[in-house]
């Protein structure tokens, strides 16, 4: 767990996790033993219904590290709540055409193509070409859907 030991880990981990369209807060809550996904509980036979939790793995994870993960969880909960409050998808047309998981929240310069911030931020780490027209992206602006009349 190198990540947990370095300074600024919470911010970096949060940025990485929230940028991942597949990320689900529930999976971390599950790891911490805070929540048990219904599907897993249903699939497991009643006799083997042992609650998996990171806290049982004390050989690998110290109490201090566990506390850090706990802190990150509350940090993530807060970030997710804020993200959900500011960007609510209203229809399928407003969804990012790359991941179909997040609402469109970024508009590229100069070509004015759009995607969600998670997709474009991740994409820009590797190259600067627009997903759609391959124009070199010189900037990314916030995009909010103009009110439809
Ligand atoms: Zn996206
Ligand atoms: Zn473009």
């Amino acid at each position: 767990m190198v990540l947990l030991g370095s300074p600024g880990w919470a911010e970096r981990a949060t940025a990485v996790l929230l940028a991942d369209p597949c990320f689900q807060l529930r999976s971390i809550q599950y790891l911490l033993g805070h929540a048990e996904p219904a599907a897993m509980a249903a699939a497991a036979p009643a006799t083997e219904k042992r609650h998996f939790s990171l806290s049982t793995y004390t050989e690998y994870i110290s109490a201090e590290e566990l506390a850090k993960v706990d802190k990150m969880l509350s940090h993530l909960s807060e970030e997710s709540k804020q993200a959900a409050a500011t960007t609510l998808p209203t229809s399928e047309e407003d969804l990012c055409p790359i991941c179909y998981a997040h609402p469109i929240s970024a508009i590229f310069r100069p070509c004015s193509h759009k995607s969600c911030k998670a997709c474009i931020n991740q994409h820009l780490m590797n190259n600067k070409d627009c997903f759609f027209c391959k124009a070199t992206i010189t900037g990314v602006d916030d995009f909010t859907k103009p009110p439809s009349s």
Side-chain angles (χ1 to χ4, degrees):
M1 287 268 181
V2 179
L3 185 75
L4 295 179
S6 44
W9 61 270
E11 289 71 22
R12 278 205 310 276
T14 304
V16 168
L17 287 171
L18 290 181
D20 183 350
C22 298
F23 168 68
Q24 291 202 323
L25 193 62
R26 223 175 36 177
S27 49
I28 289 200
Q29 287 173 328
Y30 177 59
L31 282 179
L32 286 170
H34 287 196
E36 197 167 350
M40 301 279 291
T47 46
E48 284 179 43
K49 206 177 164 190
R50 251 183 48 219
H51 202 122
F52 172 81
S53 169
L54 283 182
S55 50
T56 60
Y57 287 75
T58 45
E59 282 169 57
Y60 310 105
I61 299 172
S62 69
E64 193 197 347
E65 280 179 323
L66 196 66
K68 281 183 179 181
V69 175
D70 238 330
K71 204 176 119 202
M72 183 169 82
L73 178 66
S74 48
H75 183 63
L76 283 169
S77 306
E78 204 44 51
E79 295 269 326
S80 303
K81 255 185 269 168
Q82 284 173 9
T86 50
T87 53
L88 278 176
T90 51
S91 80
E92 225 168 273
E93 282 172 38
D94 299 327
L95 284 178
C96 167
I98 306 301
C99 65
Y100 291 101
H102 301 292
I104 289 169
S105 57
I107 181 163
F108 318 150
R109 271 179 304 210
C111 65
S112 297
H113 283 118
K114 304 177 200 80
S115 79
C116 73
K117 279 184 188 160
C119 284
I120 191 58
N121 286 342
Q122 206 158 29
H123 182 68
L124 286 178
M125 285 182 211
N126 299 316
N127 70 70
K128 308 283 181 207
D129 297 344
C130 171
F131 296 113
F132 309 100
C133 68
K134 305 291 172 202
T136 301
I137 296 171
T138 58
V140 177
D141 292 318
D142 288 350
F143 176 78
T144 40
K145 197 188 172 226
S148 50
S149 47

